Amino acid sequence: MPRLIAAPGCLTAQRAGLALVLCGRPTRPVAGPRTELRLASPYRQDLAVHEPLAILALLDELCPGALFSGDPERRAGQQKLIGQAVLADARLTEVTNAANHRDLDIAVHLLRDAMLRIERCFANRGALPVLDAQDAVVAPLIWRMMLLDRHHRTHLCLGLDRIMAQAARLSQLPGADTVLDDAAAGCFLAQLPPGAVIGLPEDNRPDWAPALGPAGRVQHLSARPGRKSKTLIPARNANALSQPSPPAPHDGQLDAVAEKLRLIRITSQQRRYPGRATPRLPSRPAVIRLMSNVVGALYPRHYGPAGLDAQLADTFVAQTLRSVRQRLSDQLELEWLLQPDDEQLACRRRARAAADAFLAGLPQIRDLHDTDINAAFQGDPSARSLDEIVLCFPGIAAILRHRIAHSLYGLGAPMLARIMAEHSHSQSGIDIHPGAKIGPACFIDHGTGVVIGETAVIGRNVRIYQQVTLGAKRFESDGEGGLVKGRPRHPLVGDDVVIYAGATILGRIEIGKGAIIGGGVWLTDSVPPGAVVTQAKPSLNGTTT
């Protein structure tokens, strides 16, 4: 019979205890200085295992098929999800140890981002899957998050319905109550550091509910039920507008120009699409409308229909997402059909899957962008409210649209992403390539003239002012006159960096954590953490110091 030695409040001990329950060998853990699983043997010294994955592997050997699947592909998926749970452990530690509101805000959203990824994996398992090692690993984590929600109003479990349902199923098995009981809950809550923001008295604790979903006072729609919308173009004229007007007489010269343009167009198309019909292109207006619809679904109170009643916001969002899914799938299919070897049926299936994946990632985009809004509020003394920031700040608008475009870029749709990015550029004056990776709590203040290149990587809590360039120093050639594409060539900006107006930072260099880059600086070399870089100071006699 395995014997479980458990350190106080240890995640590994709870996971091992639940794994024993799933193996049909529930046991009450014995308190000890460190967590280990002991197996008694009459022939040799007791076998003690300490590592979490090693404990699970050993229990799986004792009870084959109870924790891991025998199918190699499914087993690899189980182990991958367990690895994601380990990452979420670190995020939860950041939440419980946060020493100020800014760090807590970032930690909450990063933890939710990790858990939403796990939620997506749980969604692929079916309605009532067999409980296995994944549940044993994730259940203690979601249990801790539920405790924080109950006692500290953190709203960490918002939207994690499948994980919570599986955790509830596991907790109802005989013997599970000895692992996740009141004593364990008290031990976990007592471990919160005294200076942690999450452990402050209730009146000093931040309320995260508004940041994690639409909120506001009840409003009323200006439109009355049953009221018909106006028809902008009469039906009798609609067909006339869609048909080209007949040529005017004596336009032979214009006909000759049109014929020359037709020949040039055909030649160009044959060169780009040899041996096949000219494919249709994605619609720029349609893609821009899609981005606007997604923004409205993320922030319906700010960018939804005028006067949207708060009680109707959920209906509006659901209807918008259904419309976006079909239209986005159509545009993705058009982009991928531009490739010479892609078949229409394969592109259509891929487009539908990608559209679903994009929509599934919207909660993470919303969570991440809320950190940008809070960073702007904390970093700009002129900001009077979060609503003002969402509605008025060009840097915040540009970051949100970048996060939407970046999601599509990651799904293999660079053209649609670039259309969105360039439209945002035209509206805000901020040029961010959709391939750039931007961490949480990014604040672009003022913003006009900011340029961020394709392979730039920006850490968390970074502040950037107007006219800043994160660009490439040089472009490598392939030896035949063409440029080498896709290689990293833009800066790496660490956490908590401030870059003041007019700074130009070029090449694959690293700006260390907490560094300050002064205004007007031209920088092509890496900067160590905490450094302050400024340009030379002018003096009255014409020399510099």
Side-chain angles (χ1 to χ4, degrees):
M1 183 69 181
R3 189 159 60 101
L4 179 61
I5 313 297
C10 178
L11 259 173
T12 298
Q14 290 182 331
R15 287 164 171 165
L18 294 177
L20 284 165
V21 170
L22 292 178
C23 291
R25 302 185 178 189
T27 179
R28 182 176 292 276
V30 179
R34 60 181 295 185
T35 295
E36 60 184 24
L37 184 70
R38 287 186 172 272
L39 293 179
S41 171
Y43 307 107
R44 55 183 174 83
Q45 188 177 6
D46 289 359
L47 175 64
V49 182
H50 309 282
E51 294 296 327
L53 290 179
I55 292 175
L56 293 176
L58 179 59
L59 290 176
D60 187 56
E61 289 182 10
L62 294 175
C63 303
L67 297 178
F68 290 100
S69 171
D71 178 49
E73 185 174 349
R74 288 186 58 193
R75 189 182 186 93
Q78 291 173 320
Q79 293 175 340
K80 179 180 178 182
L81 188 142
I82 291 173
Q84 292 177 340
V86 173
L87 173 62
D89 293 347
R91 300 304 190 199
L92 179 62
T93 301
E94 292 181 6
V95 169
T96 56
N97 291 336
N100 55 64
H101 287 188
R102 185 205 69 197
D103 289 346
L104 179 58
D105 175 50
I106 295 174
V108 164
H109 287 82
L110 289 178
L111 173 60
R112 281 180 45 76
D113 177 79
M115 295 305 295
L116 285 168
R117 296 177 189 276
I118 296 175
E119 171 78 5
R120 205 176 304 168
C121 294
F122 270 62
N124 296 331
R125 298 171 65 193
L128 286 174
V130 177
L131 295 168
D132 58 23
Q134 300 172 96
D135 302 286
V137 168
V138 175
L141 185 60
I142 199 72
W143 177 77
R144 281 164 161 74
M145 294 166 61
M146 292 170 64
L147 287 175
L148 293 177
D149 283 354
R150 186 178 307 131
H151 294 275
H152 298 293
R153 296 190 308 169
T154 48
H155 301 274
L156 297 174
C157 295
L158 193 66
L160 304 179
D161 301 333
R162 293 180 180 87
I163 300 178
M164 294 177 66
Q166 286 296 95
R169 285 181 60 201
L170 184 55
S171 65
Q172 293 169 1
L173 295 180
D177 56 343
T178 64
V179 180
L180 305 177
D181 57 6
D182 292 340
C187 181
F188 168 68
L189 294 174
Q191 287 180 342
L192 291 179
V197 182
I198 203 171
L200 290 175
E202 189 169 343
D203 55 345
N204 293 331
R205 214 179 295 143
D207 184 7
W208 300 102
L212 296 175
R217 60 186 179 86
V218 177
Q219 301 176 7
H220 301 282
L221 284 172
S222 57
R224 296 181 177 87
R227 183 178 178 181
K228 296 182 179 180
S229 60
K230 295 181 179 179
T231 303
L232 299 181
I233 301 176
R236 63 178 180 274
N237 293 333
N239 291 332
L241 290 176
S242 64
Q243 299 294 330
S245 57
H250 311 300
D251 281 346
Q253 185 177 3
L254 296 182
D255 291 342
V257 173
E259 177 62 16
K260 291 179 181 179
L261 291 175
R262 185 184 73 85
L263 293 174
I264 294 174
R265 188 171 63 251
I266 291 176
T267 302
S268 174
Q269 291 170 352
Q270 288 177 344
R271 186 164 54 246
R272 282 180 287 166
Y273 313 111
R276 62 186 179 121
T278 302
R280 289 171 53 204
L281 291 170
S283 166
R284 180 181 173 88
V287 174
I288 293 172
R289 283 195 300 271
L290 278 170
M291 181 172 65
S292 177
N293 294 152
V294 171
V295 171
L298 292 173
Y299 293 90
R301 203 163 57 88
H302 301 84
Y303 293 104
L308 178 66
D309 193 305
Q311 297 176 350
L312 299 178
D314 291 339
T315 302
F316 163 74
V317 170
Q319 292 175 345
T320 301
L321 294 182
R322 291 189 186 96
S323 172
V324 165
R325 177 170 57 182
Q326 182 57 53
R327 291 182 290 130
L328 176 59
S329 177
D330 292 342
Q331 296 301 315
L332 288 169
E333 181 182 342
L334 290 176
E335 174 172 349
W336 289 331
L337 282 174
L338 296 176
Q339 303 301 319
D341 299 327
D342 284 338
E343 298 179 354
Q344 185 165 11
L345 182 58
C347 287
R348 183 164 299 169
R349 290 173 177 170
R350 180 187 173 194
R352 289 174 179 172
D356 288 340
F358 171 78
L359 293 176
L362 290 183
Q364 294 162 260
I365 292 176
R366 167 71 199 241
D367 265 347
L368 199 56
H369 188 60
D370 280 341
T371 68
D372 305 325
I373 297 169
N374 289 331
F377 186 75
Q378 296 171 13
D380 191 339
S382 73
R384 295 293 185 265
S385 70
L386 297 180
D387 289 329
E388 176 189 1
I389 292 170
V390 175
L391 287 171
C392 306
F393 278 39
I396 291 300
I399 287 289
L400 173 58
R401 285 150 182 81
H402 166 74
R403 297 199 186 283
I404 294 170
H406 182 70
S407 177
L408 287 174
Y409 187 89
L411 290 169
M415 183 179 292
L416 300 193
R418 199 65 179 266
I419 291 173
M420 292 182 176
E422 292 307 323
H423 179 72
S424 175
H425 179 198
S426 69
Q427 297 295 306
S428 65
I430 299 169
D431 184 3
I432 310 176
H433 192 285
K437 298 178 181 178
I438 300 180
C442 181
F443 177 32
I444 300 178
D445 199 357
H446 305 295
T448 303
V450 167
V451 177
I452 301 176
E454 177 186 16
T455 61
V457 179
I458 299 176
R460 66 172 73 178
N461 196 42
V462 173
R463 191 187 313 167
I464 299 173
Y465 289 86
Q466 67 273 18
Q467 298 292 340
V468 166
T469 297
L470 303 179
K473 184 178 180 181
R474 63 173 64 90
F475 302 103
E476 297 183 24
S477 172
D478 59 7
E480 299 180 358
L483 295 179
V484 177
K485 299 180 183 291
R487 291 187 182 176
R489 58 192 184 279
H490 298 99
L492 304 170
V493 180
D495 299 343
D496 304 315
V497 169
V498 180
I499 307 176
Y500 284 98
T504 299
I505 305 173
L506 303 179
R508 194 63 168 181
I509 62 175
E510 186 171 353
I511 310 300
K513 179 178 180 179
I516 297 176
I517 310 300
V521 166
W522 177 279
L523 192 61
T524 58
D525 296 312
S526 293
V527 174
V532 178
V533 181
T534 59
Q535 61 177 334
K537 298 179 180 178
S539 62
L540 293 178
N541 61 8
T543 62
T544 59
T545 59

